[in-house]
Amino acid sequence: MTRTYKVVVLPGDGVGREVVPETIKVLQAAGDVANGFNFEFIEFPCGGKYYKETGKEWPEEAWEACKKSDAILFGAIGWPGAIKPGGALAGIDILLGMRFSLDLYANLRPAKLYEGIDSRILGKSSKDVNFIVVRENTEGLYVPIRGTLDRGGVEELAVDVRVITRKGAERIIRHAFDLCMRRGGAPADGKKRVTCVDKSNVLEGCRLFRKIYDEIAENYREIERDYVYVDAMTQWMIRAPEHYDVVVTSNFQGDILSDLSSVLIGGMGMAPSANVGEKYGMFEPVHGSAPDIAGQNKANPMGSILSGKMMLEWLALKHRDTSCEKAASIIEDAVAQVLIEGKRRTPDLCYGRYAGLTPSTTSEVGDAIVEKIEASSF
Ligand code: NAI
Ligand code: MG
C-alpha cells in the first residue's frame, strides 16, 4: 500500500507565507514523479500577525497535529510590533517550544554552493563549498535557565546559564559522525572529516564536549578528527571552506556559524535547515520573516524548497523509503538546473555574472523548478 505522510504546514509570518506555498508545490510535483508515496498537508496559521489578531501564537489544534505528524514544514515567525507582555517576540514559543518539546536535538544546516551562483568570496567556487553544520539544538546557552535581579527598581544583573550534558553532547556528536559516513568527504581532499568546534581552552562545557567527541570518534576510524576554536573558525570557514565536511558544535556557536556560512552559498534566501530528533522532524529555511521584502513576491523560495528536500531525505532514512530519496534528489537536480540555466532567479541572486538580469518573482522561480521536475526522466 502507498504510504501517506502527514505533513503539518506552518507558514507563519512575512515571507514564510510566500516561500512555503512554493515548497508545497515542488514537493507535490516531486512526489508525483517519484510515485511511491502521498502527502497529506495540514496547514495552520501562526506567528506574530496571528498573535496580534487572536492573542495566541498558534491554535491549540496545531500543537496536537504536530505531535501526530510525520514531519513539520515551517516558514518563519516574527512581525514588527508583535511582542508579548514581558518583551518576547510573539511566535518564538512555537519555534523554541517545538525544538524542546519534540526533542529536536539536531539542527542540520548545510552550506552548499550551487554551480549557478557566484561566490562572494574571491577565488572560491561550487567546487570548494559543501559542508554541513550540525548544531546541538536543545541545550547550551538556550536552555530556559535564566533570570534577572532587580533591586530597588534597578535592573542590576542578568544571567544566562549554559548547559552541556553528556547525553546532549553524545547524541549530537554521534549524529554528526553517522551523517559524515553517508557523505562524500571534504571538497579539498575527499576525506571524511568531522570538525569539533568549541572553546575548550576556556569553557568547562566545551572541554566535556571535546572529551565526548574523542570518545565517539574512536568508533569511526575512517573519519578524520579535526579541532578548531570557535573564534578561529569564523575566519577559517570563509578562508578555506573546502577543508570542511561535517562541523559539529554546541547551540549558540552553531547558530552564529551557520548564519555566517550563508554568505558562502548566496545569502539567507539559499540556506535550508532541518531540526530532527528520534521521532519528529521540523524543516525550515534559516531566514526569518524578512518584513523588508514581505508581500512583494520577491523572496527567494530556494532555502525553503531545499528544506523540503531535507524533509524527504529524513523521511527516506526513517522509513527506509527509497521513493522519498528519489523525490529528494529530483528536487535538488531541478534547483541546480534552474540555477545553472541562470534565467530565472529572485533579486537576491542577481549579482556578479547575473547583475543585469531581470529578476523573477518567488512564484516564477517555484514554477521553473516544477517545470524541471516534470521534465525529469526518472
Ligand atoms: P531575516 O532572515 O528575516 O532577514 C535578513 C535579511 O535577509 C533581510 O535583508 C531579508 O530581506 C533577507 N532575506 C531573508 N529571507 C530572504 C529570502 N527568502 N529571499 C531573499 N532575501 C531574504 O532576519 P531579520 O530581518 O533579522 O528578522 C526579521 C524577523 O524574522 C524578526 O522578527 C526576527 O525575529 C525573525 N526571525 C525568525 C526566524 C525564524 O522564524 N526561524 C529566524 C530569524 C529571524
Ligand atoms: Mg539564527
Side-chain angles (χ1 to χ4, degrees):
M1 206 181 74
T2 313
R3 189 191 282 270
T4 297
Y5 294 110
K6 272 197 186 137
V7 179
V8 170
V9 180
L10 302 166
D13 288 311
V15 298
R17 298 191 192 192
E18 297 165 51
V19 297
V20 168
E22 299 308 313
T23 306
I24 291 176
K25 213 159 87 177
V26 166
L27 283 169
Q28 200 79 67
D32 289 348
V33 173
N35 188 24
F37 63 92
N38 294 312
F39 285 120
E40 183 190 341
F41 293 107
I42 314 148
E43 188 171 323
F44 295 97
C46 70
K49 253 191 179 165
Y50 182 79
Y51 180 83
K52 275 179 129 178
E53 286 155 20
T54 64
K56 285 193 285 185
E57 292 180 289
W58 59 348
E60 264 124 54
E61 314 89 81
W63 173 234
E64 290 308 313
C66 285
K67 287 189 284 185
K68 288 186 204 134
S69 70
D70 290 304
I72 302 161
L73 204 57
F74 189 73
I77 52 93
W79 200 245
I83 304 291
K84 295 194 287 184
L89 186 73
I92 193 70
D93 280 348
I94 304 174
L95 199 58
L96 295 181
M98 274 197 285
R99 285 182 185 167
F100 283 95
S101 305
L102 301 178
D103 202 14
L104 307 174
Y105 67 84
N107 186 197
L108 313 176
R109 295 184 163 186
K112 178 171 178 177
L113 177 64
Y114 287 89
E115 213 184 309
I117 299 180
D118 276 0
S119 170
R120 291 195 186 270
I121 310 295
L122 202 63
K124 302 297 175 195
S125 72
S126 58
K127 292 185 189 69
D128 300 304
V129 185
N130 188 3
F131 63 86
I132 182 163
V133 176
V134 177
R135 163 193 169 195
E136 205 293 322
N137 218 16
T138 52
E139 51 181 57
L141 203 47
Y142 294 161
V143 288
I145 304 177
R146 57 178 72 98
T148 55
L149 175 65
D150 275 37
R151 283 187 292 211
V154 180
E155 214 177 62
E156 287 206 38
L157 173 99
V159 182
D160 299 286
V161 177
R162 180 168 176 264
V163 173
I164 303 289
T165 67
R166 173 166 281 276
K167 174 183 168 180
E170 269 178 6
R171 63 186 186 175
I172 195 67
I173 294 166
R174 194 169 291 119
H175 196 100
F177 275 90
D178 284 341
L179 178 61
C180 187
M181 291 301 290
R182 301 195 297 274
R183 287 172 53 91
D189 51 14
K191 279 193 182 154
K192 289 190 187 298
R193 178 177 295 122
V194 175
T195 303
C196 177
V197 182
D198 59 46
K199 189 72 184 171
S200 57
N201 47 347
V202 181
L203 301 174
E204 274 311 329
C206 285
R207 278 197 274 278
L208 177 62
F209 194 85
R210 188 179 281 211
K211 186 169 177 256
I212 292 168
Y213 169 92
D214 279 330
E215 288 172 15
I216 289 174
E218 284 295 315
N219 304 318
Y220 297 83
R221 293 300 174 94
E222 53 281 76
I223 295 178
E224 190 178 279
R225 296 188 204 189
D226 191 35
Y227 310 87
V228 63
Y229 296 135
V230 64
D231 39 357
M233 184 61 172
T234 55
Q235 54 96 45
W236 282 124
M237 230 170 75
I238 304 297
R239 275 175 63 184
E242 64 278 11
H243 175 73
Y244 299 103
D245 177 10
V246 176
V247 171
V248 67
T249 192
S250 54
N251 203 340
F252 183 50
Q253 297 172 358
D255 194 3
I256 296 168
L257 288 182
S258 56
D259 271 31
L260 179 62
S261 72
S262 73
V263 174
L264 291 162
I265 61 171
M268 292 298 270
M270 284 305 299
S273 81
N275 299 268
V276 300
E278 297 308 326
K279 191 159 178 214
Y280 296 103
M282 188 266 277
F283 303 83
E284 53 164 345
V286 170
H287 64 75
S289 59
D292 55 335
I293 58 165
Q296 298 170 47
N297 200 12
K298 67 183 195 188
N300 187 346
M302 287 180 171
S304 175
I305 288 168
L306 291 170
S307 308
K309 173 220 142 201
M310 293 180 84
M311 178 182 93
L312 285 167
E313 285 169 342
W314 181 73
L315 288 171
L317 209 60
K318 189 167 180 231
H319 301 284
R320 298 174 199 273
D321 185 336
T322 52
S323 55
C324 282
E325 204 178 305
K326 204 158 114 183
S329 70
I330 291 172
I331 291 178
E332 185 168 32
D333 287 352
V335 169
Q337 278 176 49
V338 169
L339 287 169
I340 286 174
E341 267 184 17
K343 286 186 279 196
R344 285 176 289 184
R345 55 183 60 212
T346 42
D348 54 312
L349 295 181
C350 293
Y351 63 90
R353 275 175 292 168
Y354 306 96
L357 197 77
T358 307
S360 302
T361 62
T362 308
S363 35
E364 281 166 355
V365 171
D367 290 343
I369 296 168
V370 168
E371 273 170 39
K372 294 290 175 210
I373 289 171
E374 285 170 352
S376 66
S377 53
F378 274 96

